[in-house]
Amino acid sequence: MKRRNKIKILVIHGPNLNLLGKREPHIYGVATLSNINTALKKLAEKEKIYLKIIQSNYEGKIIEAIHNAAKDKFHGIIINPAAYTHTSIAIRDALSSVNLPTIEVHLSNIYCREEFRRYSLISAVAIGQICGFGPNSYLLGLKAILDLLRKNKE
Ligand code: DQA
């Protein structure tokens, strides 16, 4: 399939996710970000889609990546906003401004952790949220968005 006909998905990893593998492994597991990205790329190849993956520790960079996804005609976004989930009206506004189908993912189950993690500012502008499945949350998120985009095309 020619690249211009492919479904294009942007995966965004938020702050501190570059430390996965070393960071609180009892909560986030031992898989590194590179392990997660490899699994995502393998699934993308199988599904014959184009996947772009970015990680940033900066709110503004994440916002610009969301704006660029719309400019570059991406079809959807998978985002783990990490701690910005609970604080960032700006990322939420960026997502609702571009209005691309978005799936929010988290490695941990944010509802059985500290009180401040139980509220997501992002969920209201996402199609859905997947949390608690470790690295598999991302793969489930990618499958969910592809399913949705392909159904919408029928
Ligand atoms: C996280 C959950 C957030 O509360 C936390 O700040 C993270 C990671 C997760 O993937 O489980 O950095 O988004």
Side-chain angles (χ1 to χ4, degrees), residues 28-116:
Y28 298 115
V30 292
T32 63
L33 192 63
S34 157
N35 297 150
I36 293 173
N37 291 343
T38 301
L40 279 167
K41 283 179 200 155
K42 202 170 148 200
L43 179 59
E45 208 174 298
K46 186 172 154 228
E47 295 287 347
K48 299 187 175 24
I49 62 150
Y50 173 71
L51 198 66
K52 180 175 176 184
I53 305 176
I54 66 141
Q55 187 276 328
S56 182
N57 295 320
Y58 300 94
E59 193 175 25
K61 287 231 165 107
I62 294 171
I63 292 164
E64 282 173 2
I66 294 167
H67 295 173
N68 288 336
K71 246 194 281 163
D72 297 338
K73 299 200 172 0
F74 275 74
H75 299 94
I77 298 175
I78 314 276
I79 185 167
N80 181 349
Y84 286 138
T85 307
H86 321 293
T87 62
S88 182
I89 297 170
I91 291 177
R92 174 193 172 127
D93 283 352
L95 288 169
S96 53
S97 302
V98 301
N99 201 24
L100 289 173
T102 297
I103 311 268
E104 176 188 351
V105 301
H106 300 282
L107 296 144
S108 64
N109 180 346
I110 57 173
Y111 299 99
C112 62
R113 298 184 59 195
E114 302 94 324
E115 188 73 40
F116 66 86

Side-chain angles (χ1 to χ4, degrees), residues 87-152:
T87 62
S88 182
I89 297 170
I91 291 177
R92 174 193 172 127
D93 283 352
L95 288 169
S96 53
S97 302
V98 301
N99 201 24
L100 289 173
T102 297
I103 311 268
E104 176 188 351
V105 301
H106 300 282
L107 296 144
S108 64
N109 180 346
I110 57 173
Y111 299 99
C112 62
R113 298 184 59 195
E114 302 94 324
E115 188 73 40
F116 66 86
R117 291 187 207 276
R118 292 187 195 155
Y119 185 68
S120 166
L121 282 161
I122 308 301
S123 312
V125 296
I127 286 169
Q129 184 199 64
I130 298 171
C131 74
F133 296 96
N136 207 24
S137 293
Y138 285 94
L139 300 173
L140 292 169
L142 183 54
K143 284 180 191 161
I145 204 161
L146 289 179
D147 203 43
L148 190 106
L149 291 168
R150 286 173 177 149
K151 275 200 184 116
N152 287 349

